[in-house]
Amino acid sequence: MNKRHTFTAKAVLAGAAMMVGSSAVAQTELDFWSWRQEDVAAYNEIIAAFEETHPDIKVTYTAHPATEYNTIIATALAAGEGPDIIHTRSYGGLEVLAKPGYLEPLDEQVDMSLIGDVAKIGTTLRADGHVYAVPFASQTVLVFYNTDIFAAHGLTPPETWDEFKAVATQLKEAGVIPLANGSAEGWMLEIMSGALLPNFYGSEFFGEVTSGATDFEDPRFVGALEKMAELKEFMPDGYQGVDYATMKQLFASGAAAMFVGGSFEIPGFRDAGVNFDIIAGPAAEAGGERMVATWLDGGYGVNAASENKEAALEFARFTASQEFGQMLTDKLGNISPIEGAVSSDPTLAKISELQGASTPYIMLVAYRFNTPTGSTLIQNGLQEMFAGSKTPAEVAHDVSEGIKASE
């Protein structure tokens, strides 16, 4: 949709529709695009709260398929079109939109004093240091488990890798799928790796590999991949054809007892009526490190070519407010980066506690800036590993060489 062509007509029609007594109130219409299809109802509620205090602005939220969103938004912006408000990805995903000038720099136009510097790294363009989107939410990779199934089989949440495999074995012998995760979609294998690998390669690895002190052929990383490969026997039958939707359905229906996913899954599992709890990925051994991987999930940007830029900036200011942060926490079940947004939800409180021992979600945070991205490399490699066509060492080699070639 091209605002240059539709703005005048929209303004006239909106003005006619907003007649109050003998005066007309002009209403600016903003389009807001996102990939968060599961959040449509919640965003509409949040938008309604904004519109109550901004009766001259109407916001329409459109959610596109997550796997197609990057292409959809990039294509629209390259054509000089697209929405006024853009739900951006973070880190490298942000840079591909900000670097060509598609996004409006916000740090001098939006008060982000309630948002910490670490969160803003994910929406900052490295080339000029400007912030191009208001940070959205932090996400955490976790292991979900069905509390009813665990209770029925007398199981306690595993703390170590050996305990994790022992629990999975007992579930499998009882006719329950231990792990809902499949390998049809590479991005979900990357999620799985984010939950399981760090406790094997350790808290020092991220800093060492990003500084060049080591690479992904480091024995710690290869060994972590070898451990992850041990889970094949606990995944669903035909796991190579099990996609994201099927994974969630297996867990939500009670067919599978555990699911490795992001904290963004919480609202959906609750809506499905699942009795679940969460744990960090298991420690490599008793007393070992037990971390969760975290990342900034994205931000709210403004189309630099928008005909409605001032109204869009007003909405961006709203997304940086404590009011918005609280609504995002309460309605979306996400941990907001905005100071003062506190959740009474015990699960979110537990995630906040788990984040006290965290490591960056490595490929997203550090290696999504160049082509091929680290995520593409690890996703392809993990699919090959689970298909049996490559060994963990070969996957690590390909990842390491691919990242070096992209730098």
Side-chain angles (χ1 to χ4, degrees):
M1 61 199 71
N2 194 320
K3 298 297 178 297
R4 294 175 177 81
H5 294 157
T6 62
F7 174 71
T8 302
K10 283 184 176 181
V12 171
L13 291 173
M18 293 292 292
M19 292 295 294
V20 180
S22 59
S23 62
V25 177
Q27 191 175 48
T28 301
E29 295 189 9
L30 300 177
D31 287 318
F32 174 11
W33 287 5
S34 174
W35 70 90
R36 301 284 298 178
Q37 293 182 315
E38 62 271 49
D39 295 339
V40 172
Y43 269 111
N44 284 338
E45 291 179 16
I46 293 171
I47 287 168
F50 170 78
E51 291 174 344
E52 283 184 13
T53 57
H54 297 79
D56 57 330
I57 301 174
K58 177 175 176 55
V59 181
T60 299
Y61 178 85
T62 301
H64 296 277
T67 54
E68 301 171 20
Y69 181 70
N70 289 2
T71 300
I72 290 171
I73 194 70
T75 300
L77 293 174
E81 302 176 358
D84 306 282
I85 303 158
I86 302 164
H87 205 170
T88 72
R89 305 289 193 178
S90 52
Y91 310 104
L94 180 282
E95 288 209 353
V96 298
L97 300 183
K99 200 169 183 179
Y102 299 144
L103 301 179
E104 183 78 4
L106 300 182
D107 42 333
E108 296 179 359
Q109 303 184 78
V110 176
D111 180 2
M112 289 186 246
S113 59
L114 295 178
I115 300 173
D117 291 339
V118 173
K120 284 185 280 193
I121 290 173
T123 57
T124 297
L125 178 62
R126 295 175 300 167
D128 63 15
H130 286 297
V131 180
Y132 284 85
V134 178
F136 156 46
S138 68
Q139 302 292 355
T140 306
V141 186
L142 306 157
V143 178
F144 293 79
Y145 69 95
N146 185 307
T147 54
D148 292 338
I149 293 176
F150 269 58
H153 294 275
L155 299 171
T156 57
E159 297 184 1
T160 68
W161 186 251
D162 286 343
E163 290 174 3
F164 188 84
K165 291 179 65 179
V167 164
T169 298
Q170 186 172 336
L171 287 165
K172 186 175 181 180
E173 291 174 349
V176 178
I177 301 170
L179 195 59
N181 298 71
S183 64
E185 299 192 32
W187 73 274
M188 277 303 296
L189 281 177
E190 184 182 0
I191 287 279
M192 195 170 163
S193 73
L196 303 176
L197 301 191
N199 292 332
F200 289 100
Y201 61 61
S203 57
E204 303 299 319
F205 181 75
F206 180 85
E208 292 174 8
V209 75
T210 54
S211 69
T214 190
D215 60 24
F216 286 96
E217 292 190 83
D218 187 300
R220 291 171 292 177
F221 190 77
V222 175
L225 289 175
E226 290 171 346
K227 290 296 183 181
M228 184 174 168
E230 293 175 0
L231 297 183
K232 290 181 184 180
E233 63 177 304
F234 303 118
M235 295 164 77
D237 289 341
Y239 63 84
Q240 289 177 251
V242 175
D243 62 11
Y244 176 52
T246 304
M247 297 177 213
K248 291 194 295 182
Q249 181 57 33
L250 288 171
F251 184 72
S253 67
M258 294 184 287
F259 174 81
V260 182
S263 51
F264 50 83
E265 305 285 5
I266 291 171
F269 288 148
R270 282 183 173 161
D271 289 345
V274 185
N275 292 324
F276 68 87
D277 203 347
I278 55 172
I279 56 173
E285 56 188 10
E289 292 179 311
R290 196 171 184 194
M291 300 177 289
V292 293
T294 62
W295 75 96
L296 179 75
D297 203 19
Y300 304 102
V302 171
N303 188 340
S306 171
E307 296 281 353
N308 309 316
K309 192 178 296 183
E310 286 307 313
L313 285 168
E314 191 60 27
F315 187 82
R317 295 181 186 108
F318 170 65
T319 66
S321 69
Q322 195 276 334
E323 177 190 5
F324 177 87
Q326 191 63 54
M327 284 193 289
L328 181 134
T329 296
D330 293 339
K331 296 181 182 297
L332 296 180
N334 282 303
I335 296 178
S336 171
I338 298 174
E339 182 181 338
V342 179
S343 177
S344 58
D345 185 308
T347 304
L348 293 185
K350 188 172 184 178
I351 291 173
S352 295
E353 182 179 343
L354 291 174
Q355 286 182 347
S358 64
T359 186
Y361 185 48
I362 190 166
M363 295 302 180
L364 169 57
V365 174
Y367 296 106
R368 279 203 193 168
F369 297 98
N370 301 316
T371 302
T373 68
S375 288
T376 297
L377 293 165
I378 193 65
Q379 289 174 20
N380 292 342
L382 289 173
Q383 285 184 312
E384 291 170 325
M385 184 178 80
F386 276 91
S389 60
K390 285 195 175 174
T391 66
E394 289 171 333
V395 171
H397 173 77
D398 290 347
V399 169
S400 188
E401 291 301 306
I403 286 175
K404 290 174 184 176
S406 72
E407 293 175 345

